[in-house]
Amino acid sequence: MIGFTAIKDLSLLLVEPSDMQKKIIGKALKDAGVKQIDYTNNIKETLENLANFPPDLIISSMYLPDGTANDLIDTIRNNPETENQCFMLISSEKNRDHLEHLRQSGVLAILPKPFSKRDLQRAIYSAVDLIAEEEIDLELFDPRTLRVLVVDDSKMARKHVSRTLNTMGIEQIQLAENGRQAIEKLNTEEFDLIVTDYNMPEMDGKELTDAVRQNPAIAHIPILMVSSNSEDSQLSNIAQEGVDAICGKPFEPGTVRQLLAQILN
């Protein structure tokens, strides 16, 4: 576990229009060890702050006076200077459809209101883990030579997964937008690992897994399935059919490290 020294040095921007929620969340963050916290009320202030004093982590409410967290994350991800910004949501929103865009956008965590101290600390550790860029320790592979194929129909999700792997020392990453593109790459190049989304057009994660396992030339490649519905019973069946591990969205660095060590060692 990462020590509190790293969390103490973390700079954080809390985007929250409610003064009461600012106090509640701010206190919880300070109790978790965060010392440097700035506050904004809306998207406009947040973007101005981001341009002048970019924080290590943005924590945002879902609904803001001039838009939503979806609008904010889109603006951040579509700007080359801020596209890698660490971002998490704290919201009472429970509608999965309303939250799905954020999951696909590479947020580190989506916490409910009220949230537990443990969940908040875990989310903050994810931010520190990304910033720290600690090379993953694998017995059988040098992370720098590990060849990974990332498959996801969301451009933002592909970028976030790739960046997370980059922070672990994994540099050789190829991208595909769906299972069909992935199969084309797998037939022409060699890979040591496949990280694939579950829900995709053309050919989804299950169909990709079936195609890989049925081809003797590539059937040995470990597959990490990523899904925003990671607890779905259907995914449990897929795990029995050839997926080596299942990881939820948000794609948390600490969890990914554990799963990669498990399936690659």
Side-chain angles (χ1 to χ4, degrees):
M1 180 160 292
I2 297 169
F4 268 58
T5 302
I7 290 181
K8 180 190 70 174
D9 297 332
L10 201 68
S11 61
L12 193 146
L13 177 62
L14 177 60
V15 189
E16 173 59 65
S18 164
D19 289 338
M20 178 64 72
Q21 288 297 318
K22 274 189 184 130
K23 290 180 181 178
I24 293 172
I25 299 172
K27 182 179 185 304
L29 290 168
K30 290 174 182 176
D31 288 345
V34 178
K35 303 295 183 185
Q36 304 175 54
I37 308 174
D38 286 328
Y39 300 87
T40 56
N41 296 310
N42 53 51
I43 293 175
K44 182 176 181 292
E45 289 180 5
T46 302
L47 296 177
E48 290 173 352
N49 190 297
L50 193 55
N52 296 310
F53 308 102
D56 295 316
L57 172 64
I58 291 177
I59 297 180
S60 178
S61 175
M62 183 65 172
Y63 298 103
L64 305 166
D66 52 354
T68 68
N70 287 327
D71 300 320
L72 176 56
I73 193 69
D74 281 350
T75 304
I76 290 171
R77 293 288 185 251
N78 289 323
N79 182 341
E81 294 184 1
T82 61
E83 63 180 354
N84 291 326
Q85 174 66 54
C86 293
F87 191 101
M88 63 180 276
L89 179 80
I90 296 181
S91 175
S92 54
E93 178 62 73
K94 292 182 173 60
N95 188 311
R96 292 191 65 89
D97 292 338
H98 293 172
L99 298 172
E100 184 62 21
H101 185 75
L102 282 161
R103 295 183 193 278
Q104 299 295 341
S105 301
V107 297
L108 290 178
I110 297 177
L111 300 187
K113 289 180 181 177
F115 51 84
S116 72
K117 180 179 179 180
R118 178 181 178 184
D119 286 343
L120 180 63
Q121 288 182 336
R122 179 177 177 178
I124 295 171
Y125 284 133
S126 292
V128 174
D129 211 8
L130 268 183
I131 295 164
E133 299 193 1
E134 181 182 351
E135 189 172 288
I136 188 171
D137 184 18
L138 300 172
E139 294 178 9
L140 304 178
F141 293 93
D142 178 347
R144 290 163 294 184
T145 62
L146 191 70
R147 299 160 298 184
V148 181
L149 178 60
V150 174
V151 192
D152 200 304
D153 59 311
S154 165
K155 181 180 179 180
M156 287 190 286
R158 292 195 300 271
K159 281 187 175 182
H160 177 63
V161 171
S162 298
R163 186 197 172 207
T164 302
L165 296 174
N166 286 156
T167 64
M168 300 175 191
I170 299 172
E171 301 171 354
Q172 299 190 41
I173 300 173
Q174 295 274 352
L175 306 175
E177 295 181 14
N178 54 55
R180 197 173 303 281
Q181 281 190 12
I183 290 297
E184 292 174 0
K185 287 182 177 290
L186 287 162
N187 286 334
T188 57
E189 301 179 53
E190 293 187 2
F191 293 95
D192 303 304
L193 173 69
I194 299 168
V195 180
T196 180
D197 189 25
Y198 174 56
N199 291 306
M200 296 180 292
E202 298 285 336
M203 177 186 283
D204 64 21
K206 179 184 184 304
E207 293 166 330
L208 172 59
T209 300
D210 291 342
V212 170
R213 294 299 178 237
Q214 290 169 14
N215 184 339
I218 57 176
H220 64 282
I221 303 175
I223 299 175
L224 172 60
M225 180 80 75
V226 183
S227 174
S228 53
N229 300 312
S230 59
E231 297 179 358
D232 193 311
S233 59
Q234 189 175 5
L235 285 177
S236 299
N237 295 331
I238 294 173
Q240 296 172 7
E241 297 173 6
V243 172
D244 295 270
I246 295 175
C247 179
K249 288 182 179 180
F251 194 68
E252 294 184 357
T255 301
V256 175
R257 284 177 183 276
Q258 293 175 0
L259 291 175
L260 292 186
Q262 171 187 319
I263 65 180
L264 292 174
N265 283 339

